[in-house]
Amino acid sequence: VAIGEEQNRELREETGWKLVYGDVFRPPPMATLLSVYAGTGCQVLIMSVLTLVFACLGFLSPANRGALLSSVLFFYVLMGVPAGYVSARFCKLVREPNHFKATLLTATLFPGVC
């Protein structure tokens, strides 16, 4: 009797998973835009962390006017490379065919808005 109950439980779990499987691994409706936002978020996050690290280490003195803003702009431009990489990898993850478009949008969409 215990074996029959265990088989019924496994059958129910397998049936439930098969019903949900299509929804779990379905690509998002606007995958390119999502990957652009992921890449830009990565860019801003790493830029912020690097700026804070350099400020805490004493390289960005408050007495030197404009050093903080210059370093933010420098790190923002420099982190464009990892942003494009993250955007392209995210596109490949969600099976979006045109990852070059996502990389180009990562470079132009957010800076164009600001």
Side-chain angles (χ1 to χ4, degrees):
V1 177
I3 295 174
E5 291 176 15
E6 185 176 326
Q7 287 177 348
N8 285 338
R9 189 176 338 124
E10 287 178 8
L11 183 64
R12 276 184 272 142
E13 287 178 7
E14 185 177 322
T15 305
W17 172 246
K18 285 183 178 179
L19 292 173
V20 179
Y21 180 80
D23 291 333
V24 171
F25 294 108
R26 176 175 38 112
M30 301 184 80
T32 304
L33 198 58
L34 182 63
S35 65
V36 167
Y37 288 149
T40 302
C42 172
Q43 182 179 14
V44 171
L45 178 72
I46 295 173
M47 179 227 23
S48 301
V49 167
L50 281 176
T51 303
L52 286 173
V53 165
F54 274 86
C56 289
L57 291 176
F59 291 115
L60 302 172
S61 172
N64 188 3
R65 291 180 175 240
L68 185 64
L69 183 60
S70 296
S71 66
V72 165
L73 288 174
F74 175 74
F75 287 139
Y76 184 79
V77 169
L78 194 65
M79 292 304 112
V81 174
Y85 176 76
V86 167
S87 177
R89 291 303 298 175
F90 197 82
C91 260
K92 292 232 181 212
L93 178 72
V94 296
R95 296 182 186 97
E96 184 69 23
N98 196 356
H99 59 277
F100 296 111
K101 178 182 173 186
T103 304
L104 184 64
L105 284 174
T106 302
T108 57
L109 189 67
F110 186 73
V113 171
C114 294

